[in-house]
């Protein structure tokens, strides 16, 4: 299988769409996976050329107003003509995510992709809709930090006393298990999608979410949005470093 993985977030760097694309790519060991950005018109030519040479295409994108981002719609309009003119037959898979808690919120966008496949004459390979993508992106940053702090405590204990308190090992195990649990729905569905891609068959479209109860997700999301607004939308960039914040400012001015 020669898979083209299109990361279609309008963001030039980072984003949940790229996170899930990397996770899917990691599950396709032994297969050739070409990752191609699709963040704007400047990427259209390379993406079209990649589609012409691929055995399958997976489009990873964020939900925009319960549908596809506008630049993705523009790209698919161009790709439709090429599909029909050149007789492409590669299946298309969809990987959608949104900031709401429910993965089912992505269903209209994935149905749009399925309808486009019927119009363009390509097989629809199925997809995955993930809810709470922004929270999973934030957790991907937070949990490695927590694990690193705990591992540092274990190392200090070994150097100072030659032994590690049981509480540190327990904390490390708990952090790892909690992180895996929060990602478990996404990992399971991505694994099933990867299995279908490896076999070259269609997958059942599945919907999942960050494994956080809704009554907790909503206040956490509200708090995040308040903090993000106080930092003019740059909260995650500030947490990651000023270089990312400067990059965000430059992109914002260009837009």
């Amino acid at each position: 299988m020669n898979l083209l993985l299109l990361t279609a977030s309008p963001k030039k760097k980072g984003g949940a769409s790229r996170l899930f694309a990397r996770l899917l790519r990691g599950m396709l060991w032994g297969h050739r996976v070409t990752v191609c950005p699709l963040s704007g018109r400047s990427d259209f030519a390379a993406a079209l050329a990649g589609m012409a040479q691929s055995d399958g295409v997976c489009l990873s994108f964020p939900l925009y107003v319960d549908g596809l981002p506008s630049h993705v719609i523009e790209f698919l309009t161009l790709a439709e003509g090429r599909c029909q003119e050149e007789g492409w037959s590669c299946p298309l898979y969809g990987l959608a995510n949104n900031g709401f808690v429910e993965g089912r919120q992505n269903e209209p966008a994935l149905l749009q992709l399925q309808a486009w496949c019927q119009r363009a004459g390509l097989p629809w390979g199925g997809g995955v809709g993930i809810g709470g993508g922004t929270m999973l992106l934030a957790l991907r940053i937070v949990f490695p930090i927590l694990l690193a702090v705990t591992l540092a405590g274990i190392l200090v204990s070994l150097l100072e006393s030659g032994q590690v308190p049981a509480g540190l090992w327990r904390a490390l195990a708990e952090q790892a298990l909690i992180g895996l649990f929060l990602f478990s729905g996404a990992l399971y569905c991505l694994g099933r999608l990867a299995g279908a891609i490896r076999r070259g068959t269609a997958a059942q479209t599945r919907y999942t979410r960050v494994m956080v109860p809704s009554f907790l997700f909503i206040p956490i999301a509200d708090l995040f949005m308040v903090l993000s607004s106080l930092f003019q939308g740059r909260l995650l960039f500030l947490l990651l470093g000023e270089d990312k914040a400067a990059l965000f400012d430059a992109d914002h001015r260009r837009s």
Side-chain angles (χ1 to χ4, degrees), residues 175-187 209-213:
Q175 290 165 3
L177 290 174
I178 291 173
L180 286 174
F181 173 74
L182 294 174
F183 272 85
S184 60
L187 292 174
R209 53 182 283 179
V210 58
M211 295 291 107
V212 172

Side-chain angles (χ1 to χ4, degrees), residues 9-201:
S9 172
K11 298 177 181 177
K12 301 295 183 182
K13 299 286 184 179
S17 297
R18 288 181 176 84
L19 168 63
F20 299 129
R22 288 195 295 269
L23 291 174
L24 179 64
R25 183 183 186 182
M27 297 176 180
L28 292 170
W29 63 88
H31 292 258
R32 181 181 177 185
V33 180
T34 302
V35 179
C36 180
L38 187 63
S39 59
R41 292 176 179 174
S42 60
D43 300 320
F44 285 4
L48 288 171
M51 287 184 69
Q53 302 171 4
S54 300
D55 301 317
V57 179
C58 181
L59 183 65
S60 180
F61 64 94
L63 189 71
Y64 271 53
V65 197
D66 286 348
L68 301 170
S70 60
H71 72 285
V72 174
I73 295 174
E74 185 177 358
F75 171 76
L76 292 176
T77 302
L78 293 174
E80 180 185 338
R82 292 283 297 274
C83 288
Q84 295 171 347
E85 290 172 7
E86 302 179 18
W88 294 352
S89 59
C90 55
L92 177 68
Y93 302 89
L95 179 51
N97 75 90
N98 67 75
F100 306 107
V101 67
E102 294 297 342
R104 181 68 65 172
Q105 192 86 20
N106 297 288
E107 185 175 18
L110 291 173
L111 289 175
Q112 289 174 13
L113 278 185
Q114 183 177 2
W116 179 84
C117 285
Q118 294 174 350
R119 183 180 177 91
L122 295 185
W124 168 240
V128 175
I130 301 175
T134 304
M135 180 174 285
L136 286 170
L137 177 64
L139 291 173
R140 192 269 302 175
I141 299 169
V142 171
F143 271 94
I145 294 174
L146 294 176
L147 290 172
V149 170
T150 305
L151 286 172
I154 290 173
L155 180 60
V156 169
S157 295
L158 283 174
L159 292 176
E160 290 182 346
S161 63
Q163 58 184 3
V164 180
L168 281 178
W169 288 119
R170 184 165 56 251
L172 183 66
E174 289 174 352
Q175 290 165 3
L177 290 174
I178 291 173
L180 286 174
F181 173 74
L182 294 174
F183 272 85
S184 60
L187 292 174
Y188 171 77
C189 291
L190 288 173
R192 297 299 298 266
L193 179 64
I197 293 173
R198 294 169 71 90
R199 296 188 300 270
T201 60

Side-chain angles (χ1 to χ4, degrees), residues 1-14:
M1 166 66 76
N2 179 16
L3 180 74
L4 176 67
L5 186 50
L6 296 174
T7 55
S9 172
K11 298 177 181 177
K12 301 295 183 182
K13 299 286 184 179

